[in-house]
Amino acid sequence: MNIKISKEFITYCLVGLINTAVGYSTAFICLNLFLLSYPIATGMAYVIGIIVSFFLNKKFTFDNKDKSGMQFLKFFTTMLPAYVFSYWLGLQVALISSKYFTEFINTISSAINVEQTRLTDNFAIILSMAIYLIVGFSINKFFVFKKNN
């Protein structure tokens, strides 16, 4: 089986890494340097992360020249529900896996010496991140930064 990964997708992933670093840095700076509360610090991190992600993806991932301000609105209004959906789906996976795969989870958590809840939560995070990555890339490629021919 030959799987071809596009340059756009790889760039999107790299932009995501940069965006994650910017977001976490912003949260920690707001929390520890400016002594803002957790909700405000993470809110600021999300807003700055959205802005950074938009401009990096516009320029480097999709090489989009559109000057309309509507693009940012499209980006924000589609990425927020994509994030909420992936978060919700991750929670569902954690609940389902802890309910139906208890014995399997017990075996793995014992083998690697990790608490069961922590193991299912980590799995849910990984799954929701993967879903968000694919859904986000698709939304951006085919809707937000769609090339009009």
Side-chain angles (χ1 to χ4, degrees), residues 2-14:
N2 187 10
I3 298 175
K4 182 180 177 188
I5 299 175
S6 72
K7 179 181 178 264
E8 278 182 338
F9 186 73
I10 292 169
T11 306
Y12 185 80
C13 291
L14 293 173

Side-chain angles (χ1 to χ4, degrees), residues 16-30:
L17 290 173
I18 293 167
N19 184 52
T20 300
V22 168
Y24 279 117
S25 298
T26 300
F28 284 115
I29 289 169
C30 287

